[in-house]
Amino acid sequence: MPRTLKLLRETVSVLLESTPPGLDLDAVRTHLLAQPHVLGVHDLHASQITTGLPVLTAHVVVEDSCFSDGHAPRVLDRLQACLAENFDMSVEHSTFQLEAAAHADHELAAHG
């Protein structure tokens, strides 16, 4: 019975796309904002697609120069490494949408 209840809780958590236990989104945001060239983070979401496999998505506002001088891929690599290395629950599957600062002005205010 205890094993069944544990499995049921985990299944419901996955189905509801709950933030994985032990992953603090405020801490994630703080770490992402500390990366070079990052100006802002919004639409930050984390869930589990199966038990023990957390995924994270976010819109990341970066300096406009990232798009003109070709270092956007390095920024992306740093963001992904930050998630995989800095938290008790390693997030190895992440999707980031890099945005220029001017683009963030059109985002809906509710997407903070």
Side-chain angles (χ1 to χ4, degrees), residues 64-78:
D64 292 342
S65 64
C66 293
F67 299 102
S68 59
D69 67 10
H71 70 269
R74 287 190 305 271
V75 171
L76 183 58
D77 289 344
R78 282 191 181 141

Side-chain angles (χ1 to χ4, degrees), residues 29-50:
R29 184 183 310 272
T30 299
H31 273 271
L32 295 177
L33 287 168
Q35 299 305 306
H37 309 289
V38 173
L39 303 175
V41 175
H42 61 100
D43 287 337
L44 176 62
H45 306 282
S47 62
Q48 295 185 90
I49 56 176
T50 187

